[in-house]
Amino acid sequence: MTRLVAGNWKMNGSLAANSALLEGLAVPVGVEVAVCVPFPYLAQLQQRPAGLALGAQDVSEFESGAYTGEVSAAMLADFGCRYVIVGHSERRALFGEDDEVVGRKARAAMAAGVVPIVCVGETLTERDEGRVMQVIGRQLEAVIKVLGAQAMSAVVLAYEPVWAIGSGRSAEVAQVAEVHAGIREWLRRQGVAAGSVRILYGGSVKAENAAALFAVPEVDGGLIGGASLVARDFMTICRAAAGVV
Ligand code: PGA
């Protein structure tokens, strides 16, 4: 399947900085590339390099109405978002999003035709305790419970070990391969057409380690934080995903 590289700008950017960054982006052939930007910049990104898909970083679980400060999935669709990140570990840890909220947000996105990029992953303590697949299974369970097995095959998953995010310390290739295979096996056991689910890796993906990570057969792309803010680095990562190193 075509790999997907999604940039997660997080809470970074300005109108001027975004324009400069976008000038340096040219989507290579053979890979799908998206940028997930802060809500106010969805308007600015209506003008963007050819072939670059648009995404957001969060979405309301509610459809519309009296939910001050929330942004609905329909609004994201209105702005042409193909993707939305759901359940990023920063939202889980800092904004109290539990597995059930993440499931409902994924459902809200799907209902509006926006593909959720559902993030899962363990903390270092959970890894040390040997509970990686137990934790990820619990996180996935909450999503499949609301979506059902069939719709689950249409989501994008991102394995992001919490300890690898923004730390400069990517997971080892062998660790990534093991967890991605574990996730696919888990999906299969739930009756999901696991072969068609894109599973991205995220956590300190850089220009230097991208090719090695994308060489893992189970890795269908990447969710890129820090390195997506530097056009040259992000392009190197995209080319690595396209197989043009
Ligand atoms: P990072 O972030 O690439 O800066 O580690 C990844 C993410 O949080 O999605």
Side-chain angles (χ1 to χ4, degrees):
M1 72 184 90
T2 309
R3 291 197 186 95
L4 167 64
V5 176
N8 174 10
W9 288 4
K10 307 196 178 183
M11 197 171 72
N12 294 293
S14 66
L15 290 170
N18 301 345
S19 309
L21 176 55
L22 291 169
E23 262 174 44
L25 303 187
V27 178
V29 176
V31 61
E32 189 182 348
V33 180
V35 286
C36 298
V37 308
F39 293 135
Y41 299 129
L42 290 174
Q44 183 185 15
L45 269 285
Q46 298 304 294
Q47 301 263 313
R48 57 185 183 274
L52 183 67
L54 187 58
Q57 301 169 14
D58 187 26
V59 65
S60 178
E61 65 181 277
F62 304 109
E63 221 177 286
S64 69
Y67 301 102
T68 303
E70 290 285 272
V71 173
S72 73
M75 294 172 188
L76 300 185
D78 213 6
F79 274 84
C81 284
R82 189 179 303 164
Y83 297 104
V84 60
I85 298 170
V86 169
H88 189 281
S89 63
E90 286 152 14
R91 297 221 54 90
R92 293 178 189 261
L94 303 172
F95 302 97
E97 290 191 9
D98 61 21
D99 296 333
E100 281 65 40
V101 170
V102 173
R104 292 196 295 270
K105 288 187 169 190
R107 179 174 58 193
M110 293 281 281
V114 180
V115 176
I117 300 177
V118 179
C119 301
V120 297
E122 81 287 0
T123 63
L124 198 51
T125 312
E126 289 160 347
R127 172 164 283 271
D128 289 343
E129 291 170 358
R131 299 198 288 124
V132 176
M133 274 318 295
Q134 184 195 323
V135 169
I136 294 174
R138 189 202 70 217
Q139 293 169 333
L140 291 174
E141 178 87 49
V143 179
I144 203 169
K145 217 161 112 189
V146 289
L147 289 188
Q150 204 183 336
M152 191 76 178
S153 63
V155 308
V156 174
L157 297 178
Y159 168 53
E160 297 209 309
V162 178
W163 47 273
I165 294 174
S167 65
R169 179 184 159 198
S170 157
E172 303 290 332
V173 165
Q175 291 172 323
V176 175
E178 186 185 359
V179 175
H180 279 231
I183 291 173
R184 218 173 296 274
E185 179 53 33
W186 188 95
L187 292 170
R188 210 167 277 130
R189 280 203 308 269
Q190 307 295 317
V192 179
S196 61
V197 178
R198 283 208 277 212
I199 309 177
L200 316 182
Y201 168 76
S204 296
V205 178
K206 298 180 275 247
E208 301 81 50
N209 62 11
L213 288 162
F214 296 142
V216 177
E218 296 287 348
V219 173
D220 306 310
L223 184 54
I224 321 297
S228 73
L229 298 172
V230 181
R232 264 191 67 173
D233 291 355
F234 191 53
M235 284 299 92
T236 303
I237 293 166
C238 292
R239 281 195 302 272
V244 190
V245 186

